[in-house]
């Protein structure tokens, strides 16, 4: 995970690799990381499909970035 600033909003960012069948497990780890670092959600989760159906030969090759606006 990392921290990114887009416009005036600060986001925590996490990359999920592989099929979306288990994306909720990655999201749970992401939220655990945020809690450990004492960050709280400040809005809705945003997903960016970096490698999806148009580029991947199979769902196992998907790459998805999850961004959560955060505050302390």
């Amino acid at each position: 995970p990392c921290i990114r600033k887009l416009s005036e909003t600060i986001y925590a960012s996490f990359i999920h690799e592989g099929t979306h069948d288990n994306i909720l497990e990655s999201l749970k780890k992401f939220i655990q990381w945020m809690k450990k670092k004492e960050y709280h959600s400040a809005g809705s989760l945003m997903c960016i499909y970096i490698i999806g159906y148009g580029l991947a030969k199979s769902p196992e090759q998907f790459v998805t970035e999850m961004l959560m606006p955060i505050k302390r």
Side-chain angles (χ1 to χ4, degrees):
C2 71
I3 305 296
R4 297 172 73 180
K5 185 173 182 179
L6 304 174
S7 62
E8 294 303 313
T9 305
I10 298 173
Y11 291 84
S13 171
F14 186 83
I15 300 292
H16 171 80
E17 296 178 344
T19 178
H20 293 153
D21 292 341
N22 61 352
I23 201 165
L24 288 179
E25 290 302 315
S26 290
L27 183 57
K28 287 177 186 177
K29 290 178 185 177
F30 182 40
I31 292 169
Q32 288 172 353
W33 176 85
M34 285 175 46
K35 288 180 180 179
K36 182 179 176 183
K37 299 294 183 179
E38 299 182 359
Y39 288 108
H40 304 279
S41 172
S44 299
L45 178 71
M46 177 172 47
C47 293
I48 299 173
Y49 302 104
I50 298 168
I51 299 176
Y53 288 103
L55 299 173
K57 293 180 181 177
S58 72
E60 288 77 22
Q61 297 175 326
F62 289 171
V63 177
T64 306
E65 181 179 16
M66 294 182 273
L67 296 143
M68 178 74 74
I70 57 169
K71 62 182 177 184
R72 289 220 174 208

